[in-house]
Amino acid sequence: MSNKSLAVERINYIFAFSILIISLYLFIRTGSFSFLFFLISSVAYIVVNYIFTYYKSKKPADLDQNSDRYEELNRTIIEQKEKIEEMEDELLSLHDALKIITSTFDLNTIMVYTCKLLSKYAECEWYYLCIVNESTGKLNYKYEYGEACTSEIDKNEIEEYLKEARDGVIDSIQIISDKIKGDTIIIPLSVSNEFVGAIYAGSTSVGSFSKVNFGFLESLANFTAISVKNAEMYNSIYTQKQEIEALYEQAAASNEELNAYIRELDETKVELAKKNNELTRYYSEIQYGYLQTVMSLANSIEAKDPYTRGHCQRVMEISCELARTLGLSENEISDLRYAAILHDIGKIGISAAILNKQGKLTDEEFDEIKKHPTIAYNILKDIEFLNNGLSGILQHHERYDGRGYPNGLKGSEICTFGRILCVADAFDAMTSDRPYRKGMAMEAAIEELKRCKGSQFDPEIVDVLVLMADGKDGGNEVM
């Protein structure tokens, strides 16, 4: 064997082993059956080349005699070599495609490069790339390349094929031939048995796809489907991120607005507290003014009837102690205090001659005296802060048995204030000096109250006053 032949054989072996190593590496990396095919072809080439070299070295005479056979074998080897080179080119193209379409999340970039490879290796003249819309489940004809327009494509045919592909009836590349329209190739795109879409391409020449390597197209379709899915996931996440950021900004703006409202409310609260303090002070001043007015009215009574001087003050003190022992509230006691101070204000309308008469009153004079609760009611009825005590003023001379005046009320018909004032007024009247008699001793007055309880006086209130007089409720200070 010449040195030249030996060099050629070595080059063939080096080339074959290079293809074998590259194919083995890419097959291990991707698991694609296309690279397995290259791997097997490389091994076959090495075996054939070895056999050829072996027989050439052992039987040179036979090889010379069978030159035709040698030439045929040589042509076969050259064809295999060309196929391997073609496969190597496709492999490198797939590698480049993998780098490009997996390095971007832009669907347009992915589709443009995919169509570029289809044009190079399948010689397609037009393309439709149909992507499934995840929200609606329908196909979007988003990517269209080539001279074929939508009106020339039977979309019903595409829909039918894609329905079958989605249902798992069709899961491989399909070629539809038409003598008029030419050949159409449909390449499904799927990831982990999930249908993503399809590449729908065509050529006006019949049989133009007969020499296309379907393994290459399937690998390209797998890469494209994975890239489309990744792009959709990325775009979905990016959209959600933008929505979250928008919501965060909206929430931040709302929070700032809420903080402004809170600050405004705090300022209003401080202002209201100031106003409340002012109103409280004004109310206290008004209450003090009311009290001064009441005391002036009470003094006017005493100025007209000097024998009753201090009577209203004492009735007020006794009434308030009775009310407190009976469990009335502080607001009720306050209303009762005003009613007690003013219970005899109606005597302003009674003649001073009658009020200061030394002897016993006639029936006509007593009838005049009995008018003073009604007169007092009419004088005070338009004063709002005295409204709660008016009934007590009007009814403080009603009797428990119904024989009192001015309306003859009895029992529970008489208000609580009226029943308290009746007992307190009678007790102080009995123990005070009058123009026509000397005041009774406290013990005698108590006995009189006991005798008249249930007829003139409320029994419960009389019992409380008796306890107070005995000192069991601290009432001695009042008495």
Side-chain angles (χ1 to χ4, degrees):
M1 184 181 296
S2 64
N3 290 335
K4 184 177 181 180
S5 298
L6 183 61
V8 170
E9 293 299 329
R10 288 178 177 175
I11 289 171
N12 285 336
Y13 276 116
I14 292 170
F15 174 76
F17 275 107
S18 298
I19 296 298
L20 175 64
I21 292 170
I22 293 172
S23 300
L24 180 61
Y25 171 75
L26 292 175
F27 175 74
I28 293 171
R29 282 289 302 274
T30 65
S32 175
F33 288 105
S34 299
F35 302 131
L36 180 61
F37 174 77
F38 291 144
L39 184 64
I40 295 171
S41 299
S42 301
V43 173
Y45 177 80
I46 293 170
V47 171
V48 170
N49 197 54
Y50 175 79
I51 293 171
F52 176 77
T53 304
Y54 176 80
Y55 279 102
K56 184 176 180 181
S57 61
K58 292 294 182 180
K59 299 181 179 180
D62 293 339
L63 291 174
D64 290 338
Q65 293 175 359
N66 298 295
S67 58
D68 292 339
R69 185 179 175 187
Y70 173 77
E71 289 297 330
E72 182 180 355
L73 183 59
N74 191 47
R75 283 196 300 275
T76 301
I77 292 171
I78 292 172
E79 288 174 1
Q80 291 294 326
K81 181 180 178 182
E82 290 175 352
K83 287 183 179 180
I84 290 173
E85 290 175 349
E86 182 180 347
M87 292 171 66
E88 181 182 11
D89 182 59
E90 291 177 350
L91 184 63
L92 292 174
S93 296
L94 284 175
H95 183 261
D96 291 340
L98 181 63
K99 286 194 300 183
I100 292 173
I101 66 180
T102 56
S103 64
T104 181
F105 295 114
D106 179 44
L107 280 174
N108 190 62
T109 302
I110 295 170
M111 295 308 174
V112 167
Y113 193 77
T114 300
C115 292
K116 181 179 178 181
L117 291 179
L118 284 174
S119 179
K120 178 180 178 180
Y121 291 102
E123 299 181 355
C124 299
E125 298 174 8
W126 52 264
Y127 316 88
Y128 274 109
L129 277 76
C130 314
I131 306 299
V132 176
N133 188 313
E134 286 188 346
S135 59
T136 63
K138 295 182 179 180
L139 291 168
N140 291 336
Y141 297 87
K142 296 181 65 174
Y143 303 95
E144 181 178 334
Y145 301 95
E147 296 180 357
C149 62
T150 305
S151 60
E152 295 176 353
I153 303 302
D154 186 359
K155 287 191 176 180
N156 291 329
E157 183 180 284
I158 301 176
E159 295 283 352
E160 183 63 28
Y161 167 79
L162 295 177
K163 182 179 181 301
E164 294 178 352
R166 200 156 28 194
D167 295 340
V169 178
I170 299 174
D171 59 357
S172 60
I173 297 173
Q174 302 289 313
I175 295 179
I176 303 172
S177 295
D178 188 292
K179 293 181 179 180
I180 299 175
K181 295 182 179 180
D183 284 356
T184 302
I185 186 169
I186 306 176
I187 308 171
L189 304 176
S190 60
V191 178
S192 299
N193 296 323
E194 180 185 352
F195 185 68
V196 177
I199 299 173
Y200 192 83
S203 173
T204 55
S205 302
V206 178
S208 58
F209 300 129
S210 59
K211 296 182 180 180
V212 175
N213 183 354
F214 279 19
F216 170 76
L217 294 183
E218 288 176 352
S219 297
L220 178 62
N222 289 335
F223 291 154
T224 302
I226 292 171
S227 299
V228 168
K229 194 66 178 175
N230 289 341
E232 288 180 344
M233 291 175 63
Y234 172 80
N235 291 331
S236 176
I237 292 171
Y238 183 74
T239 302
Q240 291 177 8
K241 176 177 175 290
Q242 288 183 316
E243 291 175 353
I244 291 171
E245 289 176 348
L247 287 173
Y248 176 78
E249 291 177 0
Q250 184 179 357
S254 299
N255 188 54
E256 181 61 31
E257 186 176 355
L258 182 60
N259 288 335
Y261 287 148
I262 291 173
R263 288 193 295 271
E264 185 176 345
L265 286 173
D266 288 339
E267 293 173 359
T268 305
K269 183 179 177 182
V270 172
E271 188 66 24
L272 286 174
K274 292 180 181 178
K275 296 292 184 183
N276 186 57
N277 290 335
E278 290 180 8
L279 289 173
T280 302
R281 180 169 55 83
Y282 292 151
Y283 178 76
S284 298
E285 292 175 358
I286 290 171
Q287 289 294 98
Y288 180 74
Y290 286 162
L291 185 59
Q292 292 293 97
T293 301
V294 169
M295 295 305 296
S296 296
L297 289 172
N299 291 334
S300 69
I301 301 169
E302 295 180 353
K304 191 170 185 181
D305 185 6
Y307 290 98
T308 61
R309 184 169 290 113
H311 169 68
C312 294
Q313 179 71 25
R314 291 190 298 273
V315 170
M316 179 195 73
E317 293 173 357
I318 295 170
S319 298
C320 290
E321 284 302 318
L322 286 170
R324 192 168 286 109
T325 305
L326 288 168
L328 273 64
S329 69
E330 287 301 319
N331 288 335
E332 290 173 319
I333 293 172
S334 178
D335 292 332
L336 178 60
R337 180 178 292 110
Y338 291 133
I341 291 269
L342 296 171
H343 76 282
D344 276 341
I345 189 69
K347 289 183 178 180
I348 291 176
I350 306 300
S351 169
I354 296 174
L355 293 174
N356 298 321
K357 185 177 179 181
Q358 297 293 326
K360 186 177 180 181
L361 298 175
T362 66
D363 291 340
E364 291 78 10
E365 290 171 338
F366 186 62
D367 287 338
E368 284 296 313
I369 289 290
K370 289 195 292 186
K371 293 178 181 178
H372 81 272
T374 304
I375 295 171
Y377 180 84
N378 291 328
I379 292 173
L380 303 174
K381 66 181 180 181
D382 294 324
I383 302 176
E384 186 176 351
F385 82 95
L386 296 176
N387 283 344
N388 294 334
L390 280 178
S391 296
I393 294 173
L394 180 64
Q395 299 171 13
H396 76 278
H397 279 297
E398 298 285 358
R399 286 170 58 100
Y400 200 72
D401 58 7
R403 294 167 56 194
Y405 62 87
N407 297 314
L409 302 178
K410 65 179 179 178
S412 60
E413 293 176 353
I414 308 169
C415 69
T416 303
F417 285 3
R419 283 177 276 152
I420 292 174
L421 286 173
C422 179
V423 173
D425 184 45
F427 178 78
D428 188 70
M430 286 188 288
T431 56
S432 300
D433 293 334
R434 290 300 174 95
Y436 50 88
R437 63 164 174 81
K438 189 74 173 171
M440 297 170 60
M442 187 175 70
E443 292 78 7
I446 292 294
E447 289 302 320
E448 183 66 16
L449 288 175
K450 289 179 181 180
R451 185 181 69 81
C452 296
K453 74 175 183 178
S455 57
Q456 184 176 353
F457 308 116
D458 184 331
E460 181 185 2
I461 297 175
V462 171
D463 290 341
V464 171
L465 184 60
V466 170
L467 290 174
M468 290 169 55
D470 292 341
K472 295 181 179 179
D473 281 295
N476 280 338
E477 294 179 5
V478 177
M479 301 300 179

